[in-house]
């Protein structure tokens, strides 16, 4: 568990997706009208991190990731998706949770635990996050993680990638 601000924490669930937790995540997605039940059941095994309230342990957000091979780059990336409940969005929790997910996956890569992917691939839908219109958006705790602009999705969303440390082409 990693504390986020004072009232929240991020839970790494990559190797802890119990049947009870899967059901809790599915109900969260359905209750927030993020995904229909069939899609939620298909995607639940992709959840990497869960954002919870400390006071009652309720899920208020999460990040999932699916390995995606990008033919034009001849590389695989984690296609990461995230969601935070409406009333918690203005607190920067999505960026904090997403950043923490990058650090976990990067550590797995650097340590050799999991080298399947070269980094993360992100489809930026949030209009506020699209305000980062530089070709390279420097994220991370100290602005040390470069997110490279790769183009636009069919829906007009920004497509960005961030490489793990030490990746070669």
């Amino acid at each position: 568990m990693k504390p986020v601000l004072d009232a929240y924490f991020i839970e790494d669930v990559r190797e802890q997706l119990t049947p009870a937790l899967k059901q809790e995540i599915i109900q969260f997605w359905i209750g927030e009208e993020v995904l229909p039940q069939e899609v939620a059941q298909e995607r639940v095994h992709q959840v990497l991190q869960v954002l919870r309230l400390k006071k009652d342990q309720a899920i208020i957000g999460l990040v999932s990731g699916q390995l995606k091979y990008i033919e034009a780059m001849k590389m695989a990336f984690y296609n990461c998706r995230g969601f935070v409940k409406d009333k918690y969005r203005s607190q920067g929790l999505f960026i904090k949770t997403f950043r923490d997910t990058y650090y976990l996956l990067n550590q797995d890569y650097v340590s050799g635990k999991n080298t399947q992917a070269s980094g993360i691939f992100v489809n930026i839908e949030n209009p506020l996050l699209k305000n980062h219109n530089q070709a390279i958006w420097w994220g991370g705790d100290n602005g040390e993680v470069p997110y490279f602009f790769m183009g636009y999705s069919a829906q007009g969303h920004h497509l960005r990638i961030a490489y793990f440390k030490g990746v070669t082409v």
Side-chain angles (χ1 to χ4, degrees):
M1 261 186 276
K2 184 171 183 177
V4 180
L5 304 176
D6 288 335
Y8 318 98
F9 66 92
I10 300 170
E11 181 180 9
D12 177 2
V13 299
R14 294 175 296 162
E15 297 174 13
Q16 303 168 27
L17 281 170
T18 64
L21 179 56
K22 287 179 184 177
Q23 191 57 40
E24 184 183 8
I25 292 167
I26 290 168
Q27 290 308 310
F28 170 73
W29 273 330
I30 293 169
E32 293 297 312
E33 298 180 355
V34 176
L35 297 173
Q37 184 164 350
E38 305 76 42
V39 176
Q41 288 173 327
E42 290 171 15
R43 280 200 202 157
V44 70
H45 70 279
Q46 298 172 8
V47 175
L48 304 169
Q49 300 237 90
V50 171
L51 177 64
R52 293 183 180 273
L53 287 173
K54 281 186 185 173
K55 67 179 178 184
D56 62 6
Q57 311 290 298
I59 294 176
I60 60 168
L62 52 78
V63 174
S64 65
Q66 179 181 29
L67 206 57
K68 177 179 183 161
Y69 185 77
I70 300 177
E71 180 63 35
M73 298 181 76
K74 304 286 189 235
M75 299 173 114
F77 292 84
Y78 283 103
N79 182 16
C80 291
R81 299 179 178 110
F83 177 80
V84 173
K85 284 178 93 164
D86 246 357
K87 74 184 224 179
Y88 300 101
R89 288 187 188 160
S90 64
Q91 301 172 45
L93 295 173
F94 173 77
I95 298 235
K96 288 172 179 51
T97 307
F98 201 83
R99 178 190 64 215
D100 195 61
T101 301
Y102 170 84
Y103 288 138
L104 283 174
L105 296 172
N106 180 68
Q107 181 56 40
D108 284 353
Y109 181 86
V110 170
S111 72
K113 179 179 178 182
N114 184 347
T115 59
Q116 290 180 290
S118 297
I120 61 172
F121 173 89
V122 188
N123 184 353
I124 307 287
E125 297 180 21
N126 184 317
L128 294 174
L129 295 179
K130 287 184 196 178
N131 286 334
H132 295 282
N133 60 3
Q134 300 84 11
I136 302 173
W137 169 27
W138 293 91
D141 287 333
N142 300 304
E144 78 283 6
V145 179
Y147 289 84
F148 296 95
F149 180 77
M150 301 301 293
Y152 294 95
S153 70
Q155 297 78 26
H157 303 307
H158 290 193
L159 302 176
R160 292 190 177 267
I161 60 166
Y163 291 101
F164 296 142
K165 302 217 183 296
V167 168
T168 58
V169 292

